[in-house]
């Protein structure tokens, strides 16, 4: 059985027959979003981070003890981008103080983007 991303689908859009993988519009828009560049420091949009990027980001924030939770819960940049408060992180087992620290950073990254240096090696 093929992975759903690899399956070609036939779908009708604007009375035209198109062949190819169906990509939801919001994902298609996200894939076309260019990285955000701010000043001398290069930043990228929070929603573009992969689970592995988020794990490296946790390392840079001295929160590496939560890498397993990040991986287990498949927390990527999209997931972080829809968080609404530190309680979201408590629900995956983070201590309250660590959750508040991460939430402050997520709020910053939502506005300014994530510095590439924090999660790339």
């Amino acid at each position: 059985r093929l992975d759903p991303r690899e399956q070609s689908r036939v779908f009708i859009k604007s009375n035209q027959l198109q062949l190819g993988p169906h990509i939801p519009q919001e994902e298609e828009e996200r894939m076309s979003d260019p990285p955000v560049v701010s000043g001398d420091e290069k930043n990228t949009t929070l929603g573009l981070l992969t689970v592995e990027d988020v794990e490296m980001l946790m390392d840079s924030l001295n929160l590496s003890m939560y890498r397993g939770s990040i991986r287990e819960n498949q927390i990527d940049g999209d997931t972080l981008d829809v968080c609404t408060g530190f309680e979201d992180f408590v629900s995956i087992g983070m201590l309250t103080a660590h959750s508040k620290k991460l939430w402050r950073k997520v709020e910053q990254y939502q506005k300014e983007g994530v510095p590439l240096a924090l999660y790339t090696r």
Side-chain angles (χ1 to χ4, degrees):
R1 187 176 164 156
L2 291 175
D3 183 284
R5 291 173 292 189
E6 297 172 347
Q7 291 177 346
S8 291
R9 296 184 184 172
V10 176
F11 60 97
I12 299 174
K13 182 177 180 181
S14 302
N15 297 326
Q16 295 177 351
L17 184 63
Q18 298 181 1
L19 293 173
H22 175 68
I23 300 174
Q25 184 174 355
E26 65 270 359
E27 186 173 333
E28 190 172 331
E29 289 169 2
R30 184 178 70 90
M31 289 170 40
S32 65
D33 287 342
V36 177
V37 177
S38 164
D40 292 335
E41 187 172 33
K42 293 184 179 178
N43 295 341
T44 190
T45 305
L46 179 62
L48 298 177
L49 271 59
T50 65
V51 172
E52 293 78 20
D53 294 336
V54 172
E55 287 178 317
M56 286 190 278
L57 183 64
M58 297 298 280
D59 291 343
S60 71
L61 297 173
N62 294 318
L63 296 172
S64 58
M65 69 283 282
Y66 299 109
R67 284 180 69 107
S69 292
I70 296 299
R71 192 175 326 106
E72 180 181 321
N73 291 286
Q74 291 296 293
I75 306 294
D76 60 6
D78 270 343
T79 306
L80 291 179
D81 208 18
V82 298
C83 288
T84 57
F86 76 92
E87 299 86 357
D88 294 333
F89 306 118
V90 172
S91 70
I92 63 165
M94 290 182 76
L95 296 174
T96 300
H98 292 159
S99 296
K100 289 180 178 182
K101 175 182 179 178
L102 181 57
W103 174 242
R104 280 194 310 274
K105 287 300 195 177
V106 166
E107 284 184 305
Q108 177 185 345
Y109 300 150
Q110 287 171 333
K111 295 174 189 165
E112 301 170 12
V114 183
L116 295 172
L118 291 182
Y119 68 92
T120 56
R121 296 177 194 211

